[in-house]
Amino acid sequence: MMDMEKMMTEKLQGREIILEYHPVGNIMRVSAMDTATMTEVSIQCPVNAGEYVFKKNVLAKMEYVLRKEGKIS
C-alpha cells in the first residue's frame, strides 16, 4: 500500500496533515486537519472501502478546501 507522502498532491507536499478515523456502524468518518492553517475537513465512506480510499478522498477534499479559501494556489 502507498504511504501518505506518495498520495499527497504537489500542493500538499511538506504540509503536516493529521488524520483521524472514527467508525460509525458501516460508515468510516475520516477527518483531516492541516496544522499550518487549522483547516479541517471530513468525509464519510463505507468501512469496507479501505484505508487507501479514505486517505485519497480526504486529501483531495483538503486540497480543494485550501484552494477555495486561497490558502494554496
Side-chain angles (χ1 to χ4, degrees):
M1 210 174 267
M2 300 178 74
D3 65 358
M4 195 164 122
E5 286 295 317
K6 291 180 183 176
M7 294 176 67
M8 289 183 159
T9 65
E10 283 184 30
K11 299 295 181 181
L12 295 180
Q13 288 292 333
R15 300 185 85 90
E16 182 180 16
I17 297 178
I18 299 169
L19 300 179
E20 179 179 87
Y21 301 88
H22 183 73
V24 181
N26 292 336
I27 300 296
M28 180 68 74
R29 181 175 170 86
V30 184
S31 299
M33 177 179 278
D34 176 49
T35 59
T37 62
M38 299 302 287
T39 301
E40 185 173 356
V41 299
S42 62
I43 62 165
Q44 295 180 8
C45 294
V47 169
N48 62 0
E51 187 175 358
Y52 176 81
V53 173
F54 302 154
K55 286 181 180 179
K56 179 178 170 261
N57 290 338
V58 79
L59 292 175
K61 185 170 182 180
M62 175 62 76
E63 181 179 355
Y64 170 79
V65 169
L66 290 174
R67 281 180 191 269
K68 186 175 178 182
E69 294 178 352
K71 296 177 181 174
I72 62 173
S73 55

